[in-house]
Amino acid sequence: MLTLLKLLKDGRFHSGQALGVALGISRSAVWKQLQHLETELNLKIHKVRGRGYQLAAPLVLLDEQLIASRDSASWSAMVFDSIDSTNAEALRAIERGQPAPFMVLAERQTAGRGRRGRKWVSPFGENLYYSLVLRIDGGMRQLEGLSLVVGLAVLQALRELGIAEAGLKWPNDVLVGKRKIAGILLELVGDPADVCHVVLGVGINANMRTADEVDQDWTSIQLETGRSVDRNLLVGLLNAKLQAYLARHRDSGFAAIQPEWERCHLWQGRQVSLIAGAQQVDGVVLGIDQQGALRLQVGNVEKHFSGGELSLRLRDDS
Ligand code: ATP
């Protein structure tokens, strides 16, 4: 099915006969595969009598060689047509003993993950589904604020693409106004106090234009800039930003990055509710501390909050 897609991805018309010859299958087998592309991968295909078949929009697929040629960090990449979740595959690769650093990328995720078992909507060929695995042997300090640092790297990549109003929401969302454009999910295996591996999972909405299943406001690079983005180049740009921020974090710790993170925080000074399960704390966002914990003014007291179970919401009266 994907070989057929590779023939169609130029966005030109191809006759059923030519496709059949190229694939060594009958015209009716071509027809079946085309239907699969539409139903399985949700791709739109124009069928015009006398001309043949054409993808409604040309598609640039992920290309391992192109990614390697643009990757200043020299992180090796595993690219999948389809995977349950790039983070899950990264964790399996760590288990198999694959040496870090390495990246896992996919054209689509069938079970893309958000925090606390939430789903990350991951249609075929449209967005970036990316996991970078690092080996950490410098103890807890190298993990402090790490997911916030990844957020900054993603944000700077988006700003470089022209999305000047993009900003951060604690702990790890990237928004344009109220609309989510990227999400980050870190997962850890091993002993954080000794040697461990961390999976830096990043989902960036690149060329997505419709997505009924996303149940909150969202946007994409294409919707913001009016141009489609080549995801192979986006990987190179993200890697360059990550490489620079990770080096700063390793050398100087999160404290050196904290002021920049706060400057990019969209909700500084806003009235928020912090939600942890059934509990809720209302307060005003003061910023983050040097470990990346949220600083809230609750009544007359400053309180600090951290942990993967926390969600921040703007108060209606904010
Ligand atoms: P929190 O404030 O706790 O981070 P969240 O709703 O942003 O809450 P995440 O776990 O970060 O939670 O992300 C998962 C949520 O993001 C999903 O529940 C869905 O609402 C939304 N979502 C899923 N896929 C996408 C996508 N491709 N683009 C934007 N938003 C998405």
Side-chain angles (χ1 to χ4, degrees), residues 6 51 69 71 86 108 113 129 131 147 172-173 177 186 221 223 254 265 268 274 286 292-293 297 304 313 315:
K6 280 168 193 154
R51 296 190 74 188
S69 73
D71 177 20
T86 57
R108 73 162 172 173
R113 331 215 253 235
Y129 317 118
S131 297
S147 75
N172 52 10
D173 285 343
L186 262 60
I221 296 173
L223 288 175
F254 183 70
H265 193 204
Q268 287 290 114
L274 184 68
L286 298 173
Q297 174 91 32
H304 294 208
R313 298 281 176 266
R315 293 260 303 277

Side-chain angles (χ1 to χ4, degrees), residues 87 113-116 172 183-187 199-202:
N87 266 26
R113 331 215 253 235
R115 299 194 305 148
R116 277 160 290 143
N172 52 10
I184 290 146
L185 179 69
L186 262 60
E187 297 189 68
V199 180
L200 313 180
V202 176

Side-chain angles (χ1 to χ4, degrees), residues 114-116 118-122 127 169 171-173 180-181 205 208 214-218 310-313:
R115 299 194 305 148
R116 277 160 290 143
R118 293 209 198 105
K119 194 177 153 163
W120 188 258
V121 174
S122 308
N127 300 327
K169 177 197 143 192
N172 52 10
D173 285 343
K180 186 142 136 180
I181 192 164
N205 293 336
M208 189 159 79
V214 181
D215 56 6
Q216 57 174 290
D217 288 343
W218 64 273
L310 302 171
S311 283
L312 208 54
R313 298 281 176 266

Side-chain angles (χ1 to χ4, degrees), residues 100-111:
F102 63 90
M103 294 178 277
V104 180
L105 300 161
E107 292 290 2
R108 73 162 172 173
Q109 299 184 111
T110 53

Side-chain angles (χ1 to χ4, degrees), residues 92 132 257:
R92 290 191 290 266
L132 171 68
I257 299 174

Side-chain angles (χ1 to χ4, degrees), residues 152-168 174-176 181 221 225 227 234 237 241 245 260-266:
L152 257 181
V154 171
L155 177 71
Q156 296 308 348
L158 293 172
R159 287 193 173 167
E160 197 154 317
L161 290 170
I163 308 175
E165 330 80 85
L168 297 165
V174 186
L175 309 178
V176 182
I181 192 164
I221 296 173
T225 63
R227 291 184 306 275
L234 181 58
L237 180 57
K241 298 292 177 199
Y245 276 102
E260 181 181 346
W261 197 95
E262 276 190 345
R263 282 197 298 278
C264 298
H265 193 204
L266 291 168

